[in-house]
Amino acid sequence: METTLRGVGVSHGVAIGEVRHMGTAVLEPPAKQIPAEEAEREQGRARKAVEAVAADLMARGNLAGGEAQAVLEAQAMMAQDPELMADVERRIAVGSTAERGVYDAFASYRELLAGAGEYLAGRVADLDDVRNRIVARLLGVPMPGVPDSDEPYVLVARDLAPADTALLDPTLVLGFVTEEGGPTSHSAILARALGVPAVVALPGAGEIAEGTMIAVDGSTGEIFVNPSDEKKAQLEAAAAERKAALAASTGPGATADGHKVPLLANIGGPADVAAAVEAGAEGVGLFRTEFLFLDDSKQAPSEEKQIAAYRQVLEAFPEGRVVVRVLDAGADKPLDFLTPADEPNPALGVRGLRTLLDHPDVLRTQLTALAKSAEGLPVYLEVMAPMVADRTDARAFADACREAGLRAKFGAMVEIPSAALRARSILQEVEFLSLGTNDLAQYTFAADRQVGAVSRLQDPWQPALLDLVQLSAEAAKAEGKSCGVCGEAASDPLLACVLTGLGVTSLSMGAASIPYVRATLAKYTLAQCERAAAAARATDSAEDARSAAQAVLSGE
């Protein structure tokens, strides 16, 4: 019997296949005591297992490249955290086995993170994965992870660790479904980069029996369990229609009546450039430079290393626009040499521009490196600051750019509601705005972007969030300046039309989403987009906003 479930669609496309569940998590090791004379040997076993797991994560990252590499390298550093390792060795010294010492030390650290209001929930999931891998190695059992299968399947899991998502084989894994996660979680972002249909935050996903036939619509978030032949045909026809539309849509982004909406790519570094160029990106709307800094959390990369990385990206877009976000450290991206370890509430503490203003030497080096990397290149370089709260922040950043001799446009990210509410004031100091809808939703609704339980409030269709987008876009228009969106909201083709209708002047997204957005925008006029935006804002829920916009654009 066919049944329909609904989660959060995070990666476009349709997948139809049998369910395979993620390998079970490592069992809790027994709490047995060891003689004192065995402690040194057990400590050695623990150290070797930690190093082996860290090396495996680094190797997986090298294979995956791009954003996945940065995420996996951060996990490897987590495995080698000296304080965690010291705790493991202390526990072994008083009688724990190596595997039990690792299990208990990680559990203790996990409690600390969870006790901080779950602001680091994403790192908790990553921490669990590292623990499981170390304990599995010590116990001599298979690593938890993607099941072995010679036939294509739909992967179902409670959650997917970055190490699993990064190396999914799209020829075997048709799509995936998880109980946890949200539209901006690591797994969702990596799924979009891979082009694998995915649905997250689906309650009860783990209860779907192994081998059950399901159909996954990564655009709508719908899961059809035991779909009828008619439903399969309907979904396959819709997928074929989308594919044909994508193939037919080329060139710059624009509405049906010729209103230009540049479509840009979000990238993490040089490794992501090829996919962006292949997708027809008109430039880069968000260059996340923090991934360069995550290579070594103990110190900032040298000016020379930064210049080399930045220049590689700038050279790939001659005559194009490249928007670079300066280092966004803090919260779920801590760096030992910059961010305090004892902040009670990191997401609301010293992060982004606040961190850089506390460490002007790091900001100065980065801005100088950007200035030098653009020398002699016919590229339109723009540099923006993350977490700008008010005009004072914007002025401090613009002053720093001028002092570094940077010949580029200076901009501010709108990620804090105060910046949207006072956007016109901020635009007295900078030349453009860029809306980071992931964090803007997080701070507007007090809903951690990594916590699946509050994913409803992370939905970029929330009317309150659309209100803030329009406020920012109107302020930019009044000042004769631009206002783009570089959050994951831009990757939703229908929402891209609404954002255009709200007055947004450019859209930046993962490269895999660009063809979908280009094809959808080309179907509608600017006036239709404006009517859809007004209809969405007139509702009181994300679901109603989406339905209202869809009704307008479909002519209902």
Side-chain angles (χ1 to χ4, degrees):
M1 179 179 171
E2 179 180 313
T3 57
T4 304
L5 306 173
R6 183 181 288 277
V8 179
V10 295
S11 186
H12 304 297
V14 171
I16 302 174
E18 292 187 357
V19 165
R20 294 287 181 275
H21 285 276
M22 178 68 79
T24 55
V26 177
L27 296 175
E28 181 178 346
K32 64 180 184 181
Q33 290 291 108
I34 60 169
E37 59 269 20
E38 291 184 18
E40 190 173 341
R41 179 178 66 83
E42 290 294 289
Q43 288 170 340
R45 285 182 64 228
R47 284 192 294 270
K48 285 182 181 177
V50 165
E51 292 304 319
V53 166
D56 176 63
L57 290 168
M58 292 291 283
R60 285 169 178 259
N62 289 333
L63 281 173
E67 293 186 16
Q69 182 171 6
V71 172
L72 292 171
E73 287 177 352
Q75 266 197 300
M77 289 190 291
M78 186 185 290
Q80 296 170 303
D81 184 278
E83 289 187 18
L84 256 176
M85 197 60 226
D87 191 18
V88 170
E89 294 191 348
R90 279 194 298 271
R91 292 171 187 274
I92 294 173
V94 295
S96 287
T97 60
E99 47 267 36
R100 188 70 206 191
V102 168
Y103 187 90
D104 289 341
F106 273 72
S108 177
Y109 190 41
R110 190 186 198 283
E111 285 180 14
L112 287 175
L113 293 184
E118 291 192 281
Y119 279 93
L120 297 180
R123 289 182 64 79
V124 166
D126 294 354
L127 187 75
D128 288 346
D129 180 58
V130 172
R131 177 204 64 202
N132 290 347
R133 291 172 184 277
I134 298 170
V135 172
R137 183 170 288 274
L138 288 165
L139 290 174
V141 300
M143 292 283 178
V146 177
D148 290 327
S149 176
D150 295 329
E151 297 296 324
Y153 59 91
V154 176
L155 181 63
V156 175
R158 181 172 183 80
D159 201 356
L160 283 172
D164 297 316
T165 318
L167 296 183
L168 288 178
D169 181 350
T171 64
L172 284 177
V173 181
L174 302 171
F176 68 74
V177 180
T178 66
E179 288 192 35
E180 299 293 330
T184 59
S185 64
H186 282 150
S187 292
I189 291 169
L190 294 176
R192 285 188 285 270
L194 286 167
V196 177
V199 171
V200 300
L202 179 73
E207 296 170 15
I208 303 174
E210 185 87 2
T212 301
M213 178 64 69
I214 67 171
V216 178
D217 190 329
S219 299
T220 65
E222 290 175 305
I223 305 293
F224 303 95
V225 181
N226 296 314
S228 64
D229 290 342
E230 183 182 357
K231 175 59 72 175
K232 288 181 191 176
Q234 180 185 341
L235 289 170
E236 286 169 347
E241 185 181 336
R242 282 182 203 154
K243 190 173 181 180
L246 294 182
S249 176
T250 57
T255 58
D257 55 338
H259 174 72
K260 292 183 179 180
V261 187
L263 303 181
L264 312 171
N266 295 343
I267 68 169
D272 296 334
V273 167
V277 172
E278 186 179 350
E282 298 168 59
V284 172
L286 173 61
F287 180 177
R288 300 182 179 98
T289 59
E290 61 268 20
F291 291 129
L292 182 62
F293 286 73
L294 289 170
D295 283 347
D296 182 354
S297 70
K298 305 295 181 186
Q299 60 182 0
S302 66
E303 182 180 305
E304 292 71 25
K305 183 176 181 178
Q306 291 188 55
I307 291 171
Y310 303 150
R311 196 168 180 89
Q312 271 187 271
V313 173
L314 296 177
E315 286 176 338
F317 295 96
E319 305 295 338
R321 177 186 179 198
V322 176
V323 184
V324 179
R325 180 176 70 189
V326 293
L327 176 62
D328 183 14
D332 63 341
K333 292 170 284 190
L335 292 171
D336 292 347
F337 67 94
L338 279 183
T339 50
D342 57 350
E343 276 196 297
N345 200 335
L348 299 181
V350 181
R351 64 164 291 198
L353 180 61
R354 299 168 188 174
T355 301
L356 292 174
L357 294 179
D358 281 352
H359 298 82
D361 53 323
V362 174
L363 177 59
R364 189 181 310 111
T365 299
Q366 184 171 24
L367 293 175
T368 301
L370 283 165
K372 291 180 179 178
S373 67
E375 287 176 358
L377 294 180
V379 66
Y380 298 96
L381 175 63
E382 301 184 12
V383 182
M384 62 185 181
M387 299 297 292
V388 171
D390 58 14
R391 184 173 179 175
T392 300
D393 279 350
R395 182 187 302 121
F397 177 65
D399 287 346
C401 289
R402 283 187 282 268
E403 287 169 13
L406 191 62
R407 294 182 178 179
K409 284 188 175 182
F410 319 142
M413 290 198 70
V414 177
E415 300 165 286
I416 303 172
S418 63
L421 293 168
R422 302 288 293 174
R424 198 159 182 180
S425 169
I426 287 171
L427 283 165
Q428 305 311 305
E429 305 294 341
V430 296
E431 297 172 80
F432 69 93
L433 300 176
S434 183
L435 287 144
T437 52
N438 306 343
D439 270 322
L440 186 57
Q442 171 171 256
Y443 293 120
T444 298
F445 297 103
D448 192 321
R449 55 189 286 191
Q450 299 290 352
V451 178
V454 292
S455 61
R456 175 182 74 83
L457 297 170
Q458 265 293 328
D459 192 324
W461 281 94
Q462 285 285 356
L465 189 66
L466 300 181
D467 289 345
L468 293 175
V469 171
Q470 183 163 57
L471 272 176
S472 303
E474 286 178 344
K477 184 178 181 179
E479 294 295 328
K481 297 178 179 180
S482 64
C483 175
V485 167
C486 65
E488 292 301 316
S491 65
D492 179 334
L494 181 61
L495 185 52
C497 295
V498 167
L499 294 172
T500 298
L502 292 173
V504 166
T505 55
S506 66
L507 299 166
S508 189
M509 64 209 77
S513 298
I514 291 175
Y516 290 91
V517 173
R518 182 193 293 120
T520 305
L521 266 178
K523 291 181 183 178
Y524 307 109
T525 65
L526 177 60
Q528 286 176 298
C529 292
E530 289 172 341
R531 288 197 295 273
R537 288 187 61 222
T539 66
D540 293 313
S541 73
E543 188 173 340
D544 288 347
R546 176 186 280 276
S547 297
Q550 182 70 68
V552 169
L553 294 178
S554 61
E556 295 177 10

